[in-house]
Amino acid sequence: GEAAGVAAANKGSWSSFLKYSLDQSIASFSGDLSSLTAPPFILSSTSLVEYSSYWAEHPSILVAPASEPDPAKRALLVLKWFLSTLKQQYSSRNEKLGSEKKPLNPFLGELFLGKWEDEAGTTELISEQVSHHPPVTAYTIWNQKHGVRLQGYNGQKASFSMRTIHVKQIGHAIYHIDAYNEDYLITLPSLHIEGLVYGAPYVELNTRTFIQSSSGYTSKISYSGKGWVSGKKNSFTATLYPEGKEKDILYSIEGQWNDTFTIHDVKSKTELDSYSPKTSQVTPLTIAPLDQQGELESRRAWRAVAEAIGNGDMETTGTEKSKIENAQRELRKQEKDEGKEWERRYFSRVEADEMFGRLAERVGYQVEADKTGGLWRWDEAKYQAPLKEDRKTEP
Ligand code: HCR
């Protein structure tokens, strides 16, 4: 395809990139993907802080659980929504750009704000870079009309092997439904980059994820890649069962997360539903025009860099990136001298979260707060508080 063509044209830089990456794996690679030097044609002009929006490109599927009175079916709808986000999260860039690309590394405090307006009403997004070393993005997405809120944060830890980059996601998401005061803990899959040797990288998921509800249901999703089950890429199987009774499956879902999957009622052996992320419409996210955005907003802050990448102008890309990086370094130095820490706009570190602790224990999920600079939570009080004098440039 196109990507392979681009790759061939850049063969020199691609193979030196590969060699470099592999050398790093043996030498001093810290696991921080942002420290990887990628060849120009694999650079994206989108910041990683934007990726949080993939959680809600189908707002009506996101809010659907809130109108389901039966707790087991509600858990099933949460599972269906989660599965419906995978294509957007992990293969949409590939399809749009011809290959996976290396996103811009967000600066501390970088924001990405927007909303989706459609038949589900208004669904809002706040995404904030809450840590730079290591990179960690926190986000919340909510729909007031349906009383649904998603929040979470994630960082990545990477390692190399011969042909792939393995990425472990560190963090989790929590989906909350007001009407039932119900919470769902969502753990994140590991992934690896395939197609590297051909210069056309794409993401494949591996291991498994769990969705554990406070109402006592567990969903387990196993990713098998170019599976032993179907031989197709992006394969998975999912089961939903009452917590602690893994053999007592109520619903099962199988298929491909980038293509079609079918939902079965296991007890009655009937097919309930099938879903195809390929044909389902996404609702576009609306964001403020650049001149109305605050200085910390991603598209505005990276505007010059994005333009330079778009023009294939690596020199300007470099100088514009350095401007941002140097300003950030200066800020950190100032904070250090004053004995202060950058105050996150919308999220705060918490010591522990009782409900979350209980759900985590049920699925054996380990919080690695030390690897994300803390356990991050949406801070409603910060959201409600008026902007401080020195923060007037923010949205
Ligand atoms: C690994 C990755 C950056 C992180 C991306 C994450 C994990 C971010 C959170 C989202 O919710 C889900 C998500 C999806 C992406 O698939 C994943 C990215 C895929 C590639 C990118 C690397 C940093 C790129 C490495 C450079 C390669 C292509 C040469």
Side-chain angles (χ1 to χ4, degrees):
E2 193 185 56
V6 176
N10 287 276
K11 209 160 193 299
S13 53
W14 180 254
S15 52
S16 57
F17 164 67
L18 265 189
K19 188 179 174 305
Y20 171 83
S21 309
L22 294 173
D23 284 351
Q24 280 214 327
S25 70
I26 315 160
S28 62
F29 182 64
S30 65
D32 182 343
L33 279 164
S34 62
S35 71
L36 255 195
T37 312
F41 67 94
I42 219 87
L43 288 184
S44 159
S45 55
T46 304
S47 162
L48 200 52
V49 79
E50 292 201 21
Y51 285 32
S52 308
S53 64
Y54 293 134
W55 284 108
E57 295 194 311
H58 302 106
S60 42
I61 307 180
L62 171 80
V63 303
S67 333
E68 172 55 61
D70 179 77
K73 287 186 188 145
R74 205 152 60 230
L76 178 62
L77 288 174
V78 173
L79 171 60
K80 179 186 169 186
W81 155 73
F82 172 77
L83 294 169
S84 78
T85 68
L86 297 178
K87 177 175 189 271
Q88 296 308 118
Q89 300 257 25
Y90 302 106
S91 77
S92 59
R93 295 169 304 279
N94 203 33
E95 286 173 15
K96 241 184 264 163
L97 312 168
S99 89
E100 190 59 68
K101 298 207 170 183
K102 188 182 177 228
L104 294 171
N105 183 29
F107 57 85
L108 181 58
E110 185 173 327
L111 297 170
F112 186 62
L113 313 169
K115 49 179 102 164
W116 295 269
E117 314 259 15
D118 65 4
E119 66 279 1
T122 304
T123 307
E124 298 182 64
L125 163 75
I126 290 181
S127 181
E128 176 175 2
Q129 194 69 10
V130 292
S131 170
H132 183 67
H133 279 306
V136 179
T137 311
Y139 55 86
T140 184
I141 292 170
W142 73 100
N143 182 303
Q144 192 142 29
K145 183 174 151 203
H146 293 269
V148 163
R149 180 185 295 276
L150 177 76
Q151 64 163 308
Y153 64 91
N154 53 289
Q156 298 90 34
K157 183 101 191 142
S159 62
F160 290 96
S161 73
M162 280 306 283
R163 277 154 189 275
T164 54
I165 304 176
H166 296 274
V167 182
K168 185 183 172 214
Q169 295 198 67
I170 303 172
H172 56 268
I174 294 171
Y175 176 98
H176 179 86
I177 308 176
D178 291 344
Y180 299 98
N181 194 19
E182 211 165 71
D183 288 290
Y184 293 76
L185 166 67
I186 302 166
T187 70
L188 307 169
S190 290
L191 56 98
H192 57 274
I193 315 279
E194 295 204 2
L196 271 180
V197 280
Y198 308 109
Y202 69 91
V203 170
E204 183 61 272
L205 299 179
N206 50 264
T207 68
R208 62 203 63 76
T209 42
F210 288 102
I211 304 177
Q212 175 63 47
S213 79
S214 57
S215 57
Y217 293 95
T218 309
S219 290
K220 179 181 177 180
I221 305 120
S222 303
Y223 307 96
S224 56
K226 223 171 234 156
W228 35 273
V229 185
S230 65
K232 291 177 180 161
K233 69 174 183 176
N234 307 147
S235 299
F236 73 91
T237 57
T239 53
L240 191 155
Y241 48 90
E243 172 191 332
K245 297 182 180 163
E246 201 174 335
K247 296 261 143 61
D248 189 14
I249 301 169
L250 302 176
Y251 303 107
S252 73
I253 309 185
E254 49 280 312
Q256 287 168 279
W257 50 260
N258 69 326
D259 200 320
T260 304
F261 52 82
T262 46
I263 307 177
H264 298 272
D265 182 323
V266 172
K267 303 268 174 222
S268 69
K269 296 197 173 76
T270 48
E271 183 179 319
L272 290 180
D273 191 8
S274 93
Y275 178 79
S276 173
K278 268 200 169 147
T279 52
S280 79
Q281 283 283 322
V282 299
T283 302
L285 181 76
T286 320
I287 60 172
L290 285 187
D291 59 351
Q292 281 165 42
Q293 288 184 15
E295 278 164 15
L296 295 172
E297 282 189 79
S298 184
R299 297 247 179 121
R300 174 156 177 178
W302 289 105
R303 168 159 56 177
V305 175
E307 199 183 295
I309 292 177
N311 296 335
D313 178 349
M314 281 305 118
E315 202 182 313
T316 312
T317 303
T319 43
E320 290 299 334
K321 252 192 195 165
S322 297
K323 279 189 201 162
I324 295 179
E325 285 158 8
N326 293 339
Q328 285 293 308
R329 233 169 268 137
E330 197 44 49
L331 270 177
R332 297 295 88 78
K333 198 177 154 285
Q334 243 176 57
E335 287 158 11
K336 204 174 163 208
D337 292 348
E338 293 167 12
K340 287 199 287 200
E341 193 192 354
W342 173 263
E343 199 187 324
R344 279 65 173 175
R345 175 66 183 88
Y346 296 106
F347 297 84
S348 291
R349 267 192 204 97
V350 298
E351 280 314 312
D353 172 335
E354 206 190 306
M355 175 283 307
F356 160 73
R358 252 182 293 129
L359 297 181
E361 204 182 300
R362 293 184 200 168
V363 287
Y365 169 71
Q366 297 284 334
V367 203
E368 298 172 285
D370 54 319
K371 291 186 182 146
T372 52
L375 176 65
W376 296 97
R377 287 291 180 262
W378 164 244
D379 194 330
E380 182 78 31
K382 282 185 174 176
Y383 176 66
Q384 299 294 348
L387 285 178
K388 294 194 182 125
E389 244 351 277
D390 64 335
R391 291 281 187 101
K392 275 280 149 56
T393 51
E394 281 177 44

